[in-house]
Amino acid sequence: MPTFVRTEKCDGCKGQDKTACMYICPHDLMKLDKDGSETGHAMKAFNQEPEQCWECYSCVKICPQQAIECRHYADVVPMGASVQPLRGTDSIMWTIKFRNGLMKRFKFPIRTTPEGSIEPYAGKPAAVLSQIGGTGFFTLGGVQKPGDPSELIRK
């Protein structure tokens, strides 16, 4: 189910040009209605194409006012329950409130490495394109037998 914004909670990230949900959405779905012409609520964020939402929960987790919600699937949260994340400096606390009033909380750490600091190819040798056809790149070197076209064609 797509995300939706509770307009009574949203403050448009205090009038900045770009809200936190606009910044984080990987599909660029969140938009700030500055003058209220699109939603009737000035300076409130909204999901401009709910049917395109990936349900990644990025906007839900980053919203400082906890104004963005998502109707969750039954395999994550039982029917009738609600879930709300609360982002801290070092972790995210997920609170699930069941229909019977029972509440459960789960705490998960936030990634601690700065964005762009990971070097995925560190410690690996550079590719040598002249050796790309040699043994060991795409073949196991002697373990496999050469292909026989007659084995592949059914008669």
Side-chain angles (χ1 to χ4, degrees):
M1 303 286 178
T3 60
F4 59 96
V5 179
R6 297 274 183 199
T7 54
E8 66 274 6
K9 289 183 174 182
C10 179
D11 66 354
C13 287
K14 304 205 183 342
Q16 298 176 5
D17 284 344
K18 199 169 188 179
T19 62
C21 57
M22 290 169 64
Y23 168 77
I24 201 78
C25 181
H27 204 58
D28 294 327
L29 297 177
M30 301 308 285
K31 188 174 179 184
L32 180 63
D33 189 2
K34 292 185 179 183
D35 58 3
S37 62
E38 296 183 66
T39 64
H41 303 281
M43 293 308 292
K44 306 287 183 180
F46 68 100
N47 187 339
Q48 60 185 344
E49 292 184 70
E51 65 278 356
Q52 298 295 322
C53 184
W54 298 349
E55 298 145 21
C56 68
Y57 294 82
S58 294
C59 61
V60 177
K61 292 186 279 187
I62 202 168
C63 182
Q65 300 301 319
Q66 296 181 334
I68 303 175
E69 294 182 15
C70 188
R71 290 183 182 92
H72 307 279
Y73 293 103
D75 59 344
V76 177
V77 177
M79 187 179 281
S82 66
V83 64
Q84 187 65 46
L86 178 60
R87 185 182 176 101
T89 56
D90 63 339
S91 63
I92 296 178
M93 177 76 75
W94 291 85
T95 302
I96 299 176
K97 185 175 182 182
F98 296 93
R99 288 185 292 185
N100 64 2
L102 177 68
M103 287 179 42
K104 289 192 175 185
R105 289 193 169 94
F106 303 92
K107 187 175 182 178
F108 297 95
I110 293 176
R111 177 180 156 159
T112 56
T113 55
E115 186 176 335
S117 66
I118 295 175
E119 297 177 24
Y121 302 109
K124 295 187 173 54
V128 181
L129 291 179
S130 62
Q131 298 176 349
I132 199 88
T135 302
F137 280 81
F138 293 110
T139 63
L140 299 177
V143 176
Q144 301 160 315
K145 64 178 186 162
D148 182 5
S150 66
E151 294 176 351
L152 300 174
I153 300 172
R154 258 187 211 185
K155 296 179 182 178

